[in-house]
DNA sequence: TTACCTTACTAGCACGTGCTAGTACTAGCA
DNA sequence: TGCTAGTACTAGCACGTGCTAGTAAGGTAA
C-alpha cells in the first residue's frame, strides 16, 4: 500500500494531542523555564508513546549544531582483545555522559577522513593511527576535538601510547633481569602492520638493556607457526653465550615461542624464560602459564575517556602516567 | 578570538564564486539535467576546494531522508578474530557502494535501540544478537531494513547463523569419526555470554552423534586455565570407556584442552584428539598444531553484504549454504 | 478601570541541503 | 516581427527540530 511508512514527527504528536508543536518540544525535552500543566504534559507523553515517536537525529543535529556521537577510528591492524576491551569500556563510560561510541575500521587505499566526515559529523574523534594526524586537520579546523593517543603530545609524554609501548618493553626487561637473566632475546611479530608498535616496544627494551649495562637484545621474527618458531628458538640457543630469556611482542608471539621451545625440548622457564604482553585469556591456559605484561584496559579506557571529556570541554589533557596501566602478571614462564 | 570557527557552507562557496547557492549545489552534486558552463563549474570547484567545503551530513540527511551509514550492532560477547575479520571485510564491501559501516558495541542494562536510533538514523542495521529482534521493530516500522543473521529466517534456514553453528558441531563430529573415533567429548567455554552459540554447536554435535549411532558427546566446561583444563581432560579419560576425541567450542578452548592434556601426559593426538573452531592465527603455532573448523570470514562477509544489499533494494535474501563458509583445516591434533 | 505580573501556551525563525519552478537571455524558424 | 526552444542560471520551498519572541487569559495592586 503505502510505499514507505512516513516517520512519526513531533508535529504528528502535536496534532494527536491538540497542542502546538512547540509545546510538544518543551515537554519532550523538559525545557527549563517553561510552565506546562501536568495534564498537558501527560497527554503529550502518552501520545508520543502511543505513536512511537523518536526525534529525528539529523534534524536535531542540524538545529543544535552538534551530535552525541564519538567516532573511534581504527586502522586495519587486527585489534586484539585489548582493543576490544577498550572499546567495550569506553562505550560504557561515554554512555554515562549520553555519548555514543561508534567504531569505524578504515579500509586502506582511499582517504578516510573526508568521506567519513561527510557522513557522520561526530562530536569528537579518537584516531588510533599516527598516520592520520594530518588528515584530521580539517576536523580540528571545524572545531571537532580529535584525540590521537598514538601521537606524542608535546607536554605530557606519559600519556602518549608510543611512550607506553616503550615502557612495556622496559618492564619486560626489568622483570627478566630481576629473575637473574642477562642475555635477552626479543621476538618480533610476522605481521608487517604491527611493525610500528613492535618497533616502539623493542626500542624500550633496547633502552632498558643499555641502561642496565647489558648487551642489546637479540632480535628475531617469530611467525605464528611451530616449525618457524622452533627455528627462532634454535637461533637464540645457538652459540657460546645463548639467550636465556625472551621478550615477546605479545602473548600470541610468546605462545609461539613456547611451542617452538617445546618442540626442541628446551625447558621453559628452566632453559628459556618467556614474557609476553596483553594478558590474553589464553595466557593462563597454556603450559607453562605465561608471565606477561597486563595492559589493564579499564585504566587505559578511563584515560581515553578523560582525554575526550577534556577535549570536549576545552580543558587540558589529563596527566595519566603510563605505569598505572601496566603491571606484570606473574605466572610460570619466567 | 572567534569562539567557535563557523563551518563552511555552500552559501559561503556561492558568495565567494559570485553565483547562487543552487548553482553550487548543481556543480558539486553533478545534478543531471542541468547545463552549467565549464567556466562556472571550474570557478565553483576551485572555491569549494579553497575554502575547504564539506557538505554537512545532518542537513543532507534531513533533506534527502536517508544516510549512507550502516550500523553493525554487537553485543558484549567478545568478538574474537572472526568478528574482527568480518568487520574488516564488510567495511570494504560496503565502501564500494558508498556505504560506511559503523560498529556499535552495546553496553548492557539500558535499552540500546531507542537510544542509538535517536542518534544515528542508519540506512540499514545488522544486529548480531538474537535478543534484539523485538527491540528493532521500531526500526523496521520506520522503513529501515534490519538484517539479523542470528535469527532464523523462516524460508532460508541455510543462511541463518544458528544453523551454521549447528553445522560446525556436526562437521567436527564428522571429521573425528572419519579419523576412527567413536567416543567423543565436547568442551564448553567458561564465559556464560557464549552460552547461546555454544549451545547451538553442541546441539549440532549431538545430532550428528545420534545420526551416526554413537553415544552422545560427554560434555565438560573447560575454563581457560591449565589446572582446570587438566581436570576436564582427566574426567574424559576416566572410566572403562574413555573419550578419545574432543570437539572444542573454539580454538581457545581447544588450546586449553591441549595444555591440560600436556600437563597430564596425555598424548595428542595419540590418546586424545582435539578439534577446534575458528582457525585462529595461533592454531598453527601451538604444539601439536590444531586441526580446526575455519569459518572463512570473507564468504560470511559477502553473504552479509548481499543480504544487506538485498534488504536495501527490497529484494529477496540471497541463498548462501552454510557449507560454503566452513572447511576443516587439517593440522596435527586429530 | 487600568497597569502590571504570572501562567500556559502558540507562531514562526533558523539550521544547510537537494531540488523544483521560474526567469532572463539568446538562437532558430516561419 | 512574432513565436517557440534551448541555455544558463536564480528564487525559494521543504525536510524536522530547538528555541525565542509573542500573546491571550486570569489574577492582583493602585
Amino acid at each position: 500500500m503505502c510505499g514507505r511508512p512516513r516517520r512519526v514527527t513531533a508535529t504528528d504528536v502535536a496534532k494527536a494531542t491538540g497542542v502546538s508543536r512547540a509545546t510538544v518540544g518543551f515537554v519532550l525535552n523538559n525545557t527549563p523555564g517553561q510552565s506546562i500543566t501536568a495534564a498537558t504534559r501527560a497527554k503529550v507523553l502518552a501520545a508520543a508513546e502511543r505513536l512511537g515517536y523518536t526525534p529525528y537525529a539529523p534534524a536535531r543535529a542540524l538545529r543544535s549544531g552538534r551530535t552525541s556521537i564519538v567516532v573511534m577510528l581504527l586502522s586495519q591492524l587486527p585489534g586484539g582483545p585489548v582493543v576490544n576491551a577498550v572499546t567495550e569500556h569506553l562505550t560504557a563510560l561515554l554512555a554515562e555522559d549520553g555519548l555514543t561510541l561508534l567504531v569505524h575500521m578504515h579500509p586502506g587505499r582511499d582517504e578516510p577522513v573526508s568521506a567519513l566526515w561527510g557522513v557522520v559529523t561526530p562530536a569528537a574523534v579518537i584516531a588510533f593511527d599516527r598516520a592520520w594526524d594530518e588528515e584530521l586537520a580539517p576536523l580540528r579546523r571545524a572545531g571537532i576535538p580529535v584525540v590521537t593517543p598514538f601521537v606524542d603530545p608535546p607536554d605530557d609524554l606519559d600519556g602518549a601510547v608510543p611512550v607506553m609501548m616503550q615502557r612495556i618493553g622496559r618492564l619486560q626487561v626489568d622483570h627478566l633481569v630481576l629473575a637473574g637473566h642477562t642475555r635477552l632475546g626479543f621476538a618480533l611479530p610476522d605481521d608487517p602492520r604491527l611493525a610500528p608498535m613492535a618497533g616502539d616496544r623493542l626500542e624500550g627494551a633496547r633502552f632498558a638493556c643499555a641502561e642496565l649495562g647489558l648487551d642489546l637484545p637479540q632480535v628475531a621474527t617469530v611467525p605464528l607457526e611451530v616449525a618457524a618458531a622452533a627455528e627462532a628458538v634454535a637461533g637464540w640457543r645457538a652459540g657460546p653465550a645463548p639467550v636465556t630469556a625472551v621478550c615477546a611482542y605479545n602473548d600470541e608471539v610468546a605462545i609461539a615461542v613456547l611451542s617452538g621451545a617445546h618442540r626442541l625440548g628446551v625447558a621453559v622457564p628452566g632453559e628459556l624464560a618467556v614474557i609476553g604482553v596483553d594478558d590474553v585469556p589464553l595466557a593462563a591456559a597454556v603450559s607453562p602459564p605465561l608471565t606477561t605484561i597486563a595492559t589493564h584496559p579499564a585504566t587505559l579506557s578511563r584515560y581515553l575517556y578523560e582525554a575526550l571529556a577534556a577535549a570536549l570541554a576545552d580543558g587540558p589533557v589529563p596527566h595519566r602516567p603510563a605505569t598505572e596501566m601496566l603491571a606484570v602478571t606473574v605466572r610460570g614462564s619466567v
Side-chain angles (χ1 to χ4, degrees), chain A residues 123-210:
Chain A
V125 172
I126 318 179
F128 270 86
D129 196 315
R130 53 193 103 186
W132 294 335
D133 199 39
E134 289 180 20
E135 286 195 76
L136 292 168
L139 282 190
R140 296 185 208 268
R141 223 179 297 128
I144 296 179
V146 180
V147 175
T148 50
F150 272 79
V151 179
D152 296 37
D155 50 350
D156 176 21
L157 280 169
D158 274 4
V161 172
V163 174
M164 196 176 96
M165 293 295 145
Q166 291 182 20
R167 198 156 300 202
I168 286 174
R170 169 187 299 255
L171 266 174
Q172 289 182 306
V173 169
D174 285 349
H175 186 74
L176 293 178
V177 169
L178 212 68
H181 296 278
T182 53
R183 293 185 308 279
L184 309 184
F186 196 98
L188 285 174
D190 203 11
D191 192 331
R193 298 177 296 179
L194 299 175
M197 267 198 284
D200 283 333
R201 292 183 187 174
L202 174 55
E203 199 58 41
R206 280 207 174 108
F207 202 81
C209 285

Side-chain angles (χ1 to χ4, degrees), chain A residues 37-231:
Chain A
T37 327
T40 307
R41 162 167 264 110
K43 271 198 298 180
V44 169
L45 290 174
E49 173 77 18
R50 181 161 44 84
L51 297 177
Y53 169 73
T54 321
Y56 188 46
R60 188 184 272 229
L62 174 59
R63 164 66 222 203
S64 66
R66 61 208 146 84
T67 61
S68 55
I69 296 175
V70 174
V71 167
M72 180 161 146
L73 269 177
L74 292 181
S75 61
Q76 284 169 307
L77 51 98
V82 175
V83 172
N84 279 356
V86 167
T87 305
E88 198 174 321
H89 279 118
L90 198 53
T91 301
L93 286 170
L94 290 172
E96 283 174 26
D97 289 6
L99 295 169
T100 304
L101 184 69
L102 294 175
V103 181
H104 180 67
M105 182 168 283
H106 171 60
R109 279 179 280 279
D110 45 358
E111 80 275 62
V113 183
S114 53
L116 193 63
W117 161 234
V119 167
V120 277
T121 323
V125 172
I126 318 179
F128 270 86
D129 196 315
R130 53 193 103 186
W132 294 335
D133 199 39
E134 289 180 20
E135 286 195 76
L136 292 168
L139 282 190
R140 296 185 208 268
R141 223 179 297 128
I144 296 179
V146 180
V147 175
T148 50
F150 272 79
V151 179
D152 296 37
D155 50 350
D156 176 21
L157 280 169
D158 274 4
V161 172
V163 174
M164 196 176 96
M165 293 295 145
Q166 291 182 20
R167 198 156 300 202
I168 286 174
R170 169 187 299 255
L171 266 174
Q172 289 182 306
V173 169
D174 285 349
H175 186 74
L176 293 178
V177 169
L178 212 68
H181 296 278
T182 53
R183 293 185 308 279
L184 309 184
F186 196 98
L188 285 174
D190 203 11
D191 192 331
R193 298 177 296 179
L194 299 175
M197 267 198 284
D200 283 333
R201 292 183 187 174
L202 174 55
E203 199 58 41
R206 280 207 174 108
F207 202 81
C209 285
E211 250 184 9
L212 295 167
L214 305 179
D215 288 346
L216 293 188
Q218 199 171 314
V219 180
T221 298
V222 178
L224 296 180
E225 206 276 314
V226 187
E231 219 169 293

Side-chain angles (χ1 to χ4, degrees), chain A residues 225-231 233 256-266:
Chain A
E225 206 276 314
V226 187
E231 219 169 293
V233 172
V257 172
L258 249 44
S259 302
H262 179 245
R263 165 157 302 191
L264 294 179
V266 172

